[in-house]
Amino acid sequence: MKLQESRKSELADLAEAVIEMNSPGPGPVDLVGIAKAAGIRLHYDDYDENFDGLIAHKNGIFHIHLNLRRMTRDRNSPRARFTLAHELGHYFIDEHRNQLISGKEPHASQCGMFDGADRIEEQEADFFAANLIMPPSRFIPAARGLGSPLETILTLANRFDASLTATALQYTNHVSDRCLVVRWTTEGSHAWSIPGRGYRVEGFRSTLFKSPDKLPSDSATGNVIAHRKSHDSGVLTMAHVFQNVAISGDRDTLVAEEAIALGEYGVLTIISDFVSPETVSPRALRRRTKSST
């Protein structure tokens, strides 16, 4: 089950309202301050590999437990911030909070998966978290004039103390919806692909980016997955990326491909319309010619 656009809008507005009331100033959003203002008690500890975060309601008080083992022991890391924001989502989203108050068992969360998990509550909490850390009212103006999608995402992730994956999806949701975000595991297998709304509306949904074997041998993603580079960029055609595009057909246009290693979290690929003269190299054009023959 996928989040509807109307629900996404509601959650983004809710996150903006929480920020306006609790962290209106410039700079990264004060998530700890938001939790304290709501009377939520925070607990940072080692909970083995059981969960990233957990929110519980006991004797009229909400408690958020954050697993330092899953956060490289750094409670200020982008992963820790996203986990806290995710659990705050379970508190500020009325339906989630009311279920906990009514006696529902605490749910252990794996946060920031963005993989269409069956639990709609987890998708909602992830989406709320992204908008709490990177509110659109601040994120959109900050994205202007920063360069390619990956260059922009790197700058914004640093500015908002956010993970690259969450920033990439926020970029696709609010800055350029003609993008495809693909996550690969550390072993090089496909984790998930999320096309922006612009691509979805135009019928570009089912991607070929599901196996390194199907990528051009010298693609940016292939180079990063094979550890030949930590990041790379180049040009592909839409027929390389989407199943329903015919080679040399009307829709087989050039697209930019940017890939970056995420360390223990795999590899991230960004496909977009951002094709600049610098990216259209003779090598890239030769690749396109080969795909059309």
Side-chain angles (χ1 to χ4, degrees):
M1 186 175 181
K2 298 288 187 180
L3 281 179
Q4 300 298 311
E5 293 301 321
S6 59
R7 184 58 170 166
K8 289 181 179 181
S9 180
E10 291 175 8
L11 294 172
D13 288 345
L14 175 61
E16 291 271 16
V18 170
I19 293 165
E20 185 62 29
M21 290 183 64
N22 298 284
S23 184
V29 174
D30 182 5
L31 301 176
V32 172
I34 289 173
K36 289 181 177 178
I40 300 170
R41 295 183 183 176
L42 301 181
H43 308 271
Y44 292 87
D45 208 338
D46 188 326
Y47 298 102
D48 201 11
E49 296 293 335
N50 294 317
F51 57 80
D52 290 344
L54 180 148
I55 184 168
H57 180 261
K58 185 177 181 180
N59 298 327
I61 298 173
F62 281 90
H63 300 262
I64 290 178
H65 300 267
L66 299 155
N67 190 356
L68 286 174
R69 179 177 291 201
R70 304 272 294 177
M71 302 168 188
T72 63
R73 307 287 175 180
D74 181 0
R75 63 180 63 190
N76 297 312
S77 69
R79 185 176 180 84
R81 280 175 55 77
F82 192 92
T83 301
L84 175 53
H86 176 104
E87 299 307 327
L88 286 172
H90 288 311
Y91 174 83
F92 282 107
I93 298 170
D94 288 342
E95 298 89 340
H96 301 199
R97 182 179 66 255
N98 292 336
Q99 285 183 351
L100 290 166
I101 291 173
S102 69
K104 181 181 178 181
E105 286 293 319
H107 178 69
S109 299
Q110 303 291 332
C111 305
M113 300 301 288
F114 300 111
D115 59 355
D118 291 338
R119 292 181 58 85
I120 193 67
E121 296 94 340
E122 295 305 292
Q123 294 182 48
E124 290 185 344
D126 268 356
F127 192 84
F128 175 90
N131 285 280
L132 189 67
I133 294 172
M134 297 168 281
S137 62
R138 303 181 192 181
F139 188 84
I140 295 170
R144 294 183 183 131
L146 293 181
S148 76
L150 183 56
E151 291 169 335
T152 302
I153 289 161
L154 287 166
T155 300
L156 293 174
N158 182 64
R159 177 167 180 169
F160 289 92
D161 281 352
S163 71
L164 289 183
T165 301
T167 308
L169 292 173
Q170 197 72 341
Y171 177 91
T172 302
N173 283 324
H174 296 293
V175 178
S176 175
D177 63 5
R178 286 185 58 82
C179 282
L180 171 71
V181 181
V182 186
R183 245 283 313 278
W184 307 84
T185 68
T186 52
E187 293 78 24
S189 61
H190 175 266
W192 49 255
S193 303
I194 300 180
R197 186 172 184 275
Y199 278 169
R200 296 198 306 272
V201 168
E202 294 175 36
F204 301 120
R205 294 173 180 267
S206 186
T207 178
L208 294 171
F209 266 52
K210 292 187 176 179
S211 169
D213 297 338
K214 294 185 180 297
L215 304 179
S217 60
D218 58 349
S219 70
T221 301
N223 285 333
V224 176
I225 288 176
H227 305 294
R228 290 189 288 268
K229 295 184 178 182
S230 62
H231 62 277
D232 197 12
S233 62
V235 175
L236 298 173
T237 74
M238 290 294 267
H240 278 123
V241 180
F242 293 105
Q243 292 181 11
N244 60 342
V245 177
I247 294 175
S248 300
D250 292 342
R251 300 202 296 175
D252 191 19
T253 57
L254 285 174
V255 289
E257 177 199 16
E258 299 175 285
I260 187 167
L262 301 176
E264 62 180 301
Y265 303 114
V267 172
L268 193 70
T269 299
I270 312 294
I271 302 294
S272 72
D273 291 348
F274 190 88
V275 180
S276 65
E278 291 78 13
T279 59
V280 186
S281 64
R283 169 173 165 263
L285 290 176
R286 283 198 301 272
R287 186 188 304 152
R288 183 175 194 273
T289 301
K290 288 178 183 178
S291 75
S292 303
T293 58

